[in-house]
Each structure stands twice: as structure tokens, then as C-alpha cells.
Amino acid sequence: MSNDVPGWSVEALHDGYGQMLREDTVLYDSQTAHQRLRVFENAKLGRVLTLDGVVQTTTGDEYMYHEMLSHVPILAHGAARRVLIIGGGDGGMAREVLRHSTVEHVTMVEIDAGVVDFSKEYLPSISAGAFNDPRLDLVIADGAAFVRDTDRKYDVMIVDSTDPIGPGEVLFTNTFYDHARALLNDDGIIVTQNGVPFMQGSELTGTMRAFKALFADWGCYLTHVPTYAGGPMALGWGAKSDAARATELPVLQARFAEAALKTRYYTPEVHKAAFALPNYIRELMP
Ligand code: AG3
């Protein structure tokens, strides 16, 4: 289809299905070394960031994504001190991870320095000061090369990627997951952005096939982000032991209370329930 609807941002990520968001004010539009980056203001969603025409985050619904991809592994782990974020240039993931005072170190590996600089300026509420936290080590590098080469170890690894097209593609390969496993401590957990299964089922199946071969406990859990259109979004889960997923609700409640987080999506009850999968998603499991 033509992506040209004057005054609207048209996303045509999926075959035969699209999303349109009105651009009330365009704040930024440029080509970085890696991708086309746009930010505009929308009446319902606030500020919207698109990369190559695909919505990456909006100030209105980003919490539904960032909270679930950070608090679920960290609170399930229970003693995560070192966290690795791959991608996440807008700083929203770092913000949520750093809200845990028990986290001592975060390495964030973003391929595109342009996204970081730009997000600080145009989407300051998303990083909310995270880039100034002394616990954060921001590395501008290819995430796949970083996981291959590093000898650092982590308790939790969060893959805050784009879809597997363009620069994000390598973050969905077996080789990448294999290297990721190697940098996790014994009770380590990896979580991944795995797309909207109703639209992107084969991506989920691909990651799950890799996780099944690599992790004692593997699967996915769900969140629902309105601007990731097409149904709930799957977040991949790979853990070196099944203890983290089995953490009982009262334990999660105690950890959540102890962390004193103020959240808008995450609750310990939502955390537990997020692992319950509708059959059409279960059927995508290898
Ligand atoms: N990265 C995930 C974007 C995925 C969009 N995919 C989609 N609509 N299927 C978000 C970056 C936020 N830190």
C-alpha cells in the first residue's frame, strides 16, 4: 500500500494490516546512520517515536512494555545485581531497571548513538534521568558483537530490540542467543521483545526453538501495548533454572513491596498471569 496519508503516520509492518496515528505536530524527522527517525505529537499518545515508519515507543503507552520487560525478570530472579540491556536507546528500559535499588550495575548496548542523543532531547520523560545514573554504563556498539566478545557476566539480560528487520535482525539469531546464554550467571534470565504473535507468529516460534535448545526453562509471557498493534505482545523468557518462573505469588508480592516501585501496568498478580498463554500462542511453541 502507499504509506502516504497526509498528516498521518502509517505503519504497514504486517501484511494486509496497518496502523495510523495522526501527526499533530512533527517535532523531528531525519535519517541517522542506521535508520529513519521521526518524532511527532499525537493527541491520544503524546510523543511518538518511529524508526523506519514502525512505532518504537510513545510516551502514552511505553510503560506497558518497559515495566513488563524489566520487573518480571528482576523480581522473579530476586537478587539481580547486574543487568544487561541490548538496544533500548530511548532509555525507558534503563529507567525501569534502575528503579531497583538492588541493581548495582547496568550495561546498555545501543547500536545507534543518534537514538540516544535524540531521545534525551525529544523524549526526556522516557529516560527520566536514567542516562545520568552512575550505575549505568552506556556502550555504543553492535549488541551482537558485544555479547559475542564480552567476558562480563549478568543476572538478567533484556533484549529491547526492534523487529527482526534491518539492524535488529541479528538479535533474533541462534548465534546471538547462544552467546547470550554464555554471559548469564547460573540463575540468569534472558527476556526478549518477540513481536505480536497474531501477526508475527513465526518470529516467536523461531526464538522459542532456540530457547528450547538452550535453556532449562523457556517460554514466553504477554503484555499488551496499544501501539504495537495486532493483539498482545510476546516477551520471550529463557532461564537457566525453573526456580525463577516458579516463584510463588506471595514471594513476588513481598519483593515488589520491598522494591517500593510505583507501577502502572506491572503488579505481582499480572506477572503471574502473564505466563498463561491463549491456545493460538501455545500452538506457536515448538
Ligand atoms: N522496541 C520494540 C518495538 C517493537 C515494535 N514492534 C511491533 N509493533 N510489532 C521498543 C523500544 C522501546 N524501548
Side-chain angles (χ1 to χ4, degrees), residues 11 13-14 54-57 65-66 88 90 92-93 160-163 193 195-196 200 227-229 233:
E11 177 185 281
L13 180 61
H14 312 301
V54 178
V55 175
Q56 296 302 311
T57 198
Y65 175 82
H66 291 130
D90 54 66
M93 201 62 73
D160 182 10
S161 67
T162 58
D163 292 288
Q193 183 286 105
V196 170
Q200 297 163 294
T227 56
Y228 299 154
M233 172 171 259

Side-chain angles (χ1 to χ4, degrees), residues 65 68-69 191-195 219-223 233-237:
Y65 175 82
M68 288 299 279
L69 214 37
V191 291
T192 55
Q193 183 286 105
N194 262 108
C220 73
Y221 62 105
L222 304 177
T223 187
M233 172 171 259
L235 306 175
W237 168 277

Side-chain angles (χ1 to χ4, degrees), residues 18-251:
Q19 159 168 259
M20 272 174 51
L21 303 173
R22 199 176 62 220
E23 300 181 333
D24 294 327
T25 316
V26 177
L27 299 169
Y28 191 86
D29 183 7
S30 106
Q31 182 76 35
T32 74
H34 297 273
Q35 44 214 337
R36 174 92 182 263
L37 204 143
R38 264 171 93 78
V39 172
F40 58 88
E41 195 82 49
N42 170 277
K44 179 68 196 173
L45 295 156
R47 290 194 178 182
V48 179
L49 167 67
T50 64
L51 288 181
D52 294 331
V54 178
V55 175
Q56 296 302 311
T57 198
T58 85
T59 55
D61 67 3
E62 53 87 9
Y63 62 92
M64 307 184 191
Y65 175 82
H66 291 130
E67 289 183 10
M68 288 299 279
L69 214 37
S70 56
H71 304 320
V72 170
I74 291 172
L75 292 172
H77 185 286
R81 291 186 292 123
R82 296 178 53 80
V83 177
L84 173 63
I85 300 169
I86 301 293
D90 54 66
M93 201 62 73
R95 175 199 77 211
E96 288 303 315
V97 169
L98 289 163
R99 290 175 68 200
H100 292 266
S101 56
T102 48
V103 168
E104 293 167 4
H105 173 88
V106 178
T107 307
M108 174 178 151
V109 185
E110 166 62 48
I111 195 168
D112 193 340
V115 175
V116 174
D117 292 341
F118 161 86
S119 299
K120 283 187 198 166
E121 189 172 342
Y122 289 92
L123 304 163
S125 71
I126 294 192
S127 53
F131 291 116
N132 301 324
D133 193 305
R135 294 173 293 163
L136 181 73
D137 178 19
L138 173 62
V139 178
I140 300 299
D142 175 345
F146 180 90
V147 302
R148 185 192 62 215
D149 298 337
T150 189
D151 45 24
R152 300 184 191 177
K153 295 279 184 213
Y154 295 92
D155 302 309
V156 167
M157 170 169 171
I158 301 172
V159 185
D160 182 10
S161 67
T162 58
D163 292 288
I165 32 178
E169 202 174 341
V170 291
L171 306 181
F172 290 80
T173 59
N174 290 347
T175 310
F176 173 75
Y177 295 134
D178 199 26
H179 293 145
R181 184 187 185 280
L183 57 71
L184 289 173
N185 288 324
D186 285 345
D187 49 1
I189 303 168
I190 178 175
V191 291
T192 55
Q193 183 286 105
N194 262 108
V196 170
F198 185 68
M199 299 292 176
Q200 297 163 294
S202 57
E203 287 167 25
L204 179 62
T205 304
T207 299
M208 294 297 95
R209 194 170 285 135
F211 279 19
K212 186 178 184 177
L214 290 170
F215 293 101
D217 183 29
W218 61 276
C220 73
Y221 62 105
L222 304 177
T223 187
H224 206 138
V225 186
T227 56
Y228 299 154
M233 172 171 259
L235 306 175
W237 168 277
K240 287 192 164 182
S241 96
D242 49 20
R245 188 207 293 241
T247 309
E248 304 278 0
L249 182 59
V251 175

